[in-house]
Amino acid sequence: MKGRARSARRGFSLVELLCVLLVLCAVAGATAVTFRGADERRIVRDEAEELRAWLSSRMAQAARESAEFKLIIDADKTTQELGFTIEWYGGPRDLETETYAPGRAAIERDSLANEHTFDGEWFTLTPAASFIIRSRRERDIAALVTVSGVGYVDVKETLKEQ
């Protein structure tokens, strides 16, 4: 009888295997949610940094050329997502336009103005502007890009809901 009892206990029961699989699935699910949130935060941060760099470079260019530009906020008619058009005044790019469209994150307006004017001679933006960069998948993941009246562009990676 001893030999028979030993051979019966060599493997795991179906219930034990199912319990282990359940625990592994729970751990895998929690890990996937954690990494997805980190990925979305990276996407938002990258988009915010890209917009900051784009605005900073255009302001530096306007200052070098003693030019002005008008930053016009465009809304896509179907998605209502924001993009930007710059109209140059003065300097070698006089009356040229260029656009900025968001990549993998959405841009929302944080102010009421539809147009902002940057003066390259005084290095000022009127009125100052703030834009919310938000994840398209997880709306609570966002960053704030602010352009002060004195032409300083900053990114805050955390945004508290208002």
Side-chain angles (χ1 to χ4, degrees), residues 46-62 64 69-74 82-88 93 96-103 107 116 118 123 125 131 133 145 147 151 153-155:
D46 289 351
E47 185 71 43
E49 283 298 327
E50 190 173 318
L51 177 60
R52 183 204 59 75
W54 185 77
L55 288 170
S56 293
S57 69
R58 297 326 180 261
M59 291 188 301
Q61 181 178 358
R64 281 191 308 272
F69 66 76
K70 187 180 288 185
L71 179 68
I72 302 166
I73 300 171
D74 304 317
L82 298 183
F84 304 98
T85 298
I86 285 182
E87 291 179 356
W88 289 92
R93 301 188 67 185
E96 288 184 17
T97 62
E98 63 180 285
T99 60
Y100 178 90
I107 300 176
H116 304 269
F118 183 79
F123 211 80
L125 183 74
F131 306 102
I133 313 301
V145 176
V147 188
V153 186
D154 187 33
V155 174

